[in-house]
Amino acid sequence: MTVVSEFDARIEMKAFIDRARAPYSQWYVGIAADPDERLAEHGVREDDWWIVRRLGSPDGAQRVEGFLLKLGCDGGAGGGDEASTSVYAYWKRGHT
């Protein structure tokens, strides 16, 4: 996965969420070292609405996560560890 800047991650993830036309509160956001594993743990399916962006550092990932949380997305700030450089978001559904 390509590493993106914080600015690009914020713009791309917000635009993706906005295209779904669901309130931010219906989206869950988090950070992880292995976002595919985390999405699977949440029950996210391939045909669900989800997005992942990889940042250059855990601090950058936390800042992007914080930006999305401030918009009103669900999730908990400050998670992850020094390997958690990916930000993920998914539209919460009945199976997630």
Side-chain angles (χ1 to χ4, degrees):
M1 182 181 298
T2 303
V3 174
V4 299
S5 70
E6 288 180 45
F7 178 78
D8 287 343
R10 288 177 188 210
I11 296 299
E12 292 169 8
M13 294 182 82
K14 182 181 182 306
F16 183 84
I17 291 169
D18 289 344
R19 275 194 303 273
R21 296 188 171 185
Y24 292 116
S25 62
Q26 291 183 11
W27 284 80
Y28 184 91
V29 63
I31 60 173
D34 185 344
D36 294 331
E37 180 180 322
R38 290 295 293 142
L39 289 168
E41 289 172 1
H42 286 285
V44 175
R45 299 175 184 159
E46 191 64 35
D47 62 343
D48 286 333
W49 281 68
W50 56 272
I51 185 169
V52 174
R53 290 296 179 264
R54 187 169 145 211
L55 285 289
S57 71
D59 292 336
Q62 286 182 348
R63 286 189 290 270
V64 172
E65 176 191 39
F67 167 78
L68 295 170
L69 291 171
K70 285 180 184 174
L71 290 177
C73 293
D74 189 14
D81 58 25
E82 65 276 350
S84 299
T85 59
S86 293
V87 183
Y88 64 90
Y90 65 87
W91 188 1
K92 298 183 295 184
R93 314 307 292 160
H95 59 272
T96 58

